[in-house]
Amino acid sequence: TMRAFNACRYHLIVACCAWAAAAASPLARVALDPPFRASSAVQVRASAWVALPAECAQQDATVSVVGTAQYGTQVVQVLDEKLDVSPGSGTVKSWPLLPAFASMAPADNITITFTFNAASCDPVEVSFDYQLVKTGVNATLLIDGAFIDLLHWDEGEALMYNDGLRQMTQQDWDDQIRYMSVAGIRTAVLQAGFLDYDYVKQTNQTCDYYLGQALYPSQAYPTQYPNFTDKADKLEAILNACDHYGVRILVGVGLFAWFDMRSESLCWHQVIFSLLIENTNSLNFLACNMTDLAESV
């Protein structure tokens, strides 16, 4: 069964973030774009959401944001900005990292640290591991991410591999994520956790009356796909493996009905995602699915 954890909210953006807070410090959440690796020809950006708790500030304050990047003994400043923040609310801002950052390529294992400081608060730091690749073009020329399927929704498209997916065990999924990590893949996108083949306006499904099938044990909609050889929780195995091997994962909720954007579909998606958040403590899942900064204020 999936492990209990209370966390944040979800949005499907391929970026990963980190956050930090202390009792009398600014609340800070940061996302990098690209998230973990980039060509030195690309402008890397940092987006930050910053809030001031009441015990930290009683009036509007200016928060300084200083970013540094360290590779071995080399340290360069990559950001020096300021934010005006009101107590009890959050402010969102995005900046390009300074050109000095690109000059560090090629470099593995760069540590990027952002320090948030307000006059009346203790400073707080947020750090990332990063990689710069010097290719002369915008692309890294590496496979940065990959889609994965518990089961593909189209049997015709998946003629060569759906039978294999039906026979996958938890250990098989651990091996697959490990192979991805060894190949340098740092982001996985799981396409769907539920399958349903109805189309919008051709279904009488509601948020409370769902006829699709779950591809993992679900508390809300317990009807599971019946033809897996191994009935164990594959999603849990994938999340565990992503944490173990350092792969970020974005989890696609699944199909309510094709192209259905109605309120019943939205309700269904909210139910599924809320349970995913409440029942996992996968740090890489949470990091990759907390990055819609503007809407999270």
Side-chain angles (χ1 to χ4, degrees):
T1 58
M2 298 176 73
R3 303 149 294 172
F5 184 84
N6 292 318
C8 338
R9 61 187 296 281
Y10 169 92
H11 199 278
L12 189 61
I13 294 181
V14 182
C16 294
C17 68
W19 71 286
S25 300
L27 301 174
R29 186 181 298 171
V30 182
L32 294 176
D33 183 22
F36 57 89
R37 177 168 59 207
S39 162
S40 58
V42 169
Q43 177 67 75
V44 178
R45 298 187 66 87
S47 298
W49 170 83
V50 183
L52 295 174
E55 63 268 29
C56 179
Q58 300 297 323
Q59 57 188 4
D60 291 3
T62 298
V63 178
S64 69
V65 187
V66 176
T68 59
Q70 180 172 355
Y71 175 57
T73 59
Q74 181 185 9
V75 179
V76 299
Q77 185 167 305
V78 297
L79 193 66
D80 186 4
E81 298 287 346
K82 288 181 172 55
L83 278 174
D84 291 326
V85 183
S86 299
S89 65
T91 299
V92 177
K93 187 72 174 179
S94 178
W95 310 275
L97 298 190
L98 297 174
F101 182 61
S103 69
M104 302 181 78
D108 295 330
N109 303 319
I110 297 173
T111 299
I112 304 175
T113 301
F114 298 94
T115 302
F116 297 82
N117 203 348
S120 55
C121 311
D122 294 333
V124 66
E125 292 186 348
V126 179
S127 294
F128 296 86
D129 292 329
Y130 209 80
Q131 179 184 10
L132 273 178
V133 184
K134 191 170 186 177
T135 62
V137 295
N138 287 347
T140 64
L141 305 184
L142 300 169
I143 302 175
D144 292 328
F147 289 93
I148 58 176
D149 269 322
L150 289 166
L151 189 75
H152 195 62
W153 56 81
D154 189 313
E155 290 289 343
E157 289 183 2
L159 184 64
M160 303 300 291
Y161 57 86
N162 253 2
D163 282 343
L165 289 174
R166 279 185 271 268
Q167 298 175 44
M168 293 277 282
T169 65
Q170 289 184 315
Q171 184 58 53
D172 290 333
W173 277 113
D174 185 278
D175 291 341
Q176 288 298 317
I177 300 299
R178 176 166 57 86
Y179 300 154
M180 291 167 63
S181 177
V182 170
I185 294 173
R186 293 293 177 266
T187 300
V189 181
L190 179 63
Q191 298 204 67
F194 282 79
L195 293 183
D196 183 82
Y197 297 98
D198 291 325
Y199 276 77
V200 63
K201 298 183 179 179
Q202 296 178 351
T203 179
N204 62 349
Q205 293 185 136
T206 67
C207 190
D208 299 320
Y209 178 67
Y210 176 66
L211 299 177
Q213 295 175 332
L215 301 180
Y216 62 91
S218 169
Q219 297 162 271
Y221 304 100
T223 301
Q224 285 187 252
Y225 178 77
N227 296 326
F228 284 131
T229 302
D230 181 358
K231 306 299 183 183
D233 191 342
K234 315 301 193 317
L235 177 58
E236 176 74 353
I238 291 170
L239 294 176
N240 284 338
C242 286
D243 279 346
H244 185 73
Y245 300 114
V247 176
R248 278 77 167 178
I249 179 148
L250 297 103
V251 178
V253 172
L255 293 172
F256 176 80
W258 285 94
F259 311 112
D260 196 331
M261 308 297 176
R262 297 173 300 168
S263 60
E264 291 297 328
S265 176
L266 175 60
C267 171
W268 180 86
H269 281 81
Q270 289 174 325
V271 168
I272 299 299
F273 184 71
S274 295
L275 286 172
L276 284 172
I277 287 294
E278 290 172 6
N279 292 293
T280 182
N281 65 357
S282 167
L283 297 179
N284 282 312
F285 167 74
L286 296 173
C288 277
N289 296 286
M290 283 168 50
T291 57
D292 189 357
L293 302 180
E295 290 187 9
S296 69
V297 173

